[in-house]
């Protein structure tokens, strides 16, 4: 049996993809910072620069941290499930907090400027993504971290949690692309079509966001890169089967 | 054995989701038509209305038809693989043709108006989506329709084909959202923030596009809704194993 054997190495390729995802993620953040710093006057809270807190927080929270939270089950393949779960919840919680700061920044900016809220497609999709992400996090904590939910209830909710998790990550990236387009058409509407450097830089940020989504999505959906159950988890699930179905742990498959 | 047994019915729920996806798809097309007809003067080729051919063709080709082409393996679960494959390739081919018309429309419109091409994030992501979609179609025809590719080569390419197929569909929807935002900020920049009806209608189209993507994505990724191999396909794959690995068709599981 596998009991007591050393952890098998990660599948070939997985580590390379994870490294690429992290390089892309850091490049995303640097490119966002360069855009806001070089062309938009930088970032500050109580000032006309308060708006710029919004794109920075959203890329950091809703894209980079959300993406990394999704990757933890692939990266920490042989750690105890409970610690990996806690890290997954923690990273998503941090992402939500940072996104909340970014949302407060744009609402406060609108109020000082007298600009209406929530009229654009970006704001509709963005608010939907944030509220559903918060809901997903609360449901995830309720089902998988609190002790109340039964083994079979967890099993039935898990595929929904996984699908909506990836869908919300993808939607968050799409919302960032909408935000980039809005910012460019508000700020450099007339020069955008002349390929000015701010436009090219912001377009590049958009392409990097798509690339980050593709790499993370590829790692998450590859069947042979899914986290294998540990020996003790298999044993637990067999004990469970024995209790509920009267099966012999040694029989079957 | 299952040989000669009548086809099992589709899984519960699948048909309902497919019906909802088609209702959403038709609503998408109607909403696009209503936007262009009521607020943008309608659609025509040799006229200032030529631009409007672009959104109509892209929603029809890159979203509705591309989405339906992805669904054929779920809908026609018990037809011969070869006919389902041909329909899949045909619908994607039709989607590509219609998208090409939509792309020509916007390039011609730009030329008559003296507007530069390919400067926006929408155009960068959109052109990438179209070119990769064409490439994916050519690779798909080469690997799966032409007789040249071996059984094992097809098996190795298939997961890549499936992943990139879904990724390109999602990217296409994101590009449509970018296009909606561009059109609104070019046409109703000053009234958009006052919740004028054109803005609300176009935002609603964006939300419908996201909903269509979610429903199609859910149907495609649910494990228990995947197309089961037919009895004769299983037999074929066993014959193949026998030939190449010397396994007995009756052995193993």
């Amino acid at each position: 049996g596998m009991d007591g054997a050393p952890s098998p190495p990660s599948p070939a390729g997985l580590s390379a993809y994870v490294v690429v995802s992290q390089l892309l993620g850091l490049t995303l953040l640097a490119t966002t910072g360069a855009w806001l710093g070089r062309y938009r006057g930088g970032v500050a809270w109580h000032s006309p620069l308060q708006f710029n807190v919004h794109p920075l927080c959203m890329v950091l929270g809703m894209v980079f941290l959300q993406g990394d939270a999704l990757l933890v089950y692939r990266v920490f393949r042989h750690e105890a499930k409970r610690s990996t779960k806690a890290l997954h919840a923690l990273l998503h919680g941090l992402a939500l907090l940072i996104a909340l700061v970014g949302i407060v920044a744009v609402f406060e900016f609108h109020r000082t400027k007298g600009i209406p809220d929530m009229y654009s497609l970006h704001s509709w999709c963005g608010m939907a993504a944030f509220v559903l992400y918060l809901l997903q996090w609360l449901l995830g904590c309720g089902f998988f971290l609190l002790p109340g939910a039964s083994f079979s209830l967890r099993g039935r909710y898990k595929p929904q949690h996984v699908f909506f998790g990836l869908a919300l990550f993808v939607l968050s990236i799409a919302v960032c692309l909408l935000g980039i387009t809005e910012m460019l058409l508000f700020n450099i509407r007339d020069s955008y079509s002349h390929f000015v450097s701010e436009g090219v830089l912001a377009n590049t940020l958009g392409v990097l966001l798509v690339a980050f989504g593709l790499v993370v999505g590829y790692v998450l959906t590859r069947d042979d890169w899914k986290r294998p159950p540990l020996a003790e988890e298999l044993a637990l699930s067999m004990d469970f089967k024995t209790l509920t179905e009267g099966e012999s742990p040694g029989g079957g498959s």
Side-chain angles (χ1 to χ4, degrees), chain A:
Chain A
M2 281 178 60
D3 311 80
S7 293
S10 285
L14 172 58
S15 311
Y17 274 82
V18 169
V19 168
V20 169
S21 77
Q22 297 312 291
L23 292 177
L24 276 171
L26 295 174
T27 313
L28 273 185
L29 295 177
T31 309
T32 309
W35 180 18
L36 300 174
R38 281 198 58 157
Y39 300 101
R40 296 284 123 225
V43 171
W45 192 258
H46 289 296
S47 87
L49 298 175
Q50 188 174 20
F51 175 83
N52 294 345
V53 174
H54 179 68
L56 192 63
C57 284
M58 299 331 262
V59 170
L60 176 57
M62 296 294 283
V63 179
F64 184 66
L65 288 175
Q66 183 176 183
D68 274 10
L70 300 180
L71 289 176
V72 296
Y73 291 111
R74 301 297 176 282
V75 175
F76 302 104
R77 314 171 61 70
H78 309 297
E79 314 292 317
K81 184 102 177 212
R82 181 134 195 104
S83 1
T84 315
K85 235 189 236 186
L87 182 61
H88 180 73
L90 196 75
L91 282 173
H92 279 308
L94 193 60
L96 276 163
L97 263 180
I98 291 171
L100 184 64
V101 173
I103 291 171
V104 169
V106 73
F107 275 85
E108 282 206 3
F109 172 80
H110 278 179
R111 208 181 43 199
T112 30
K113 288 271 193 172
I115 301 171
D117 295 314
M118 298 297 303
Y119 66 84
S120 71
L121 181 57
H122 168 72
S123 65
W124 287 23
C125 293
M127 190 53 84
F130 178 78
V131 170
L132 293 173
Y133 187 35
L134 178 61
L135 194 69
Q136 164 97 346
W137 186 76
L138 292 172
L139 285 173
C141 290
F143 275 95
F144 299 120
L145 281 184
L146 298 184
S150 72
F151 193 85
S152 81
L153 191 62
R154 288 182 178 182
R156 266 179 290 140
Y157 173 56
K158 196 186 153 200
Q160 320 297 327
H161 184 76
V162 168
F163 173 76
F164 281 104
L166 188 51
L168 286 173
F169 173 63
V170 169
L171 179 60
S172 303
I173 289 177
V175 172
C176 287
L177 303 183
L178 290 178
I180 291 172
T181 293
E182 273 198 12
M183 264 183 81
L184 291 173
L185 291 182
F186 280 127
N187 292 321
I188 59 163
R189 179 192 170 104
D190 297 322
S191 57
Y192 190 21
S193 64
H194 299 111
F195 293 88
V196 292
S197 50
E198 179 178 352
V200 172
L201 182 71
N203 286 359
T204 306
L205 173 59
V207 172
L208 288 168
L209 283 160
V210 172
F212 182 71
L214 271 176
V215 174
V216 171
Y218 186 75
V219 170
L220 293 176
T221 55
R222 245 187 94 145
D223 265 338
D224 52 340
W225 288 355
K226 299 226 154 95
R227 179 179 180 279
L230 300 182
E232 60 265 32
E233 291 165 26
L234 281 175
L236 247 172
S237 113
M238 292 224 178
D239 285 349
F240 175 80
K241 271 195 179 159
T242 317
L243 282 169
T244 55
E245 297 166 21
E247 267 178 25
S248 135
S253 97

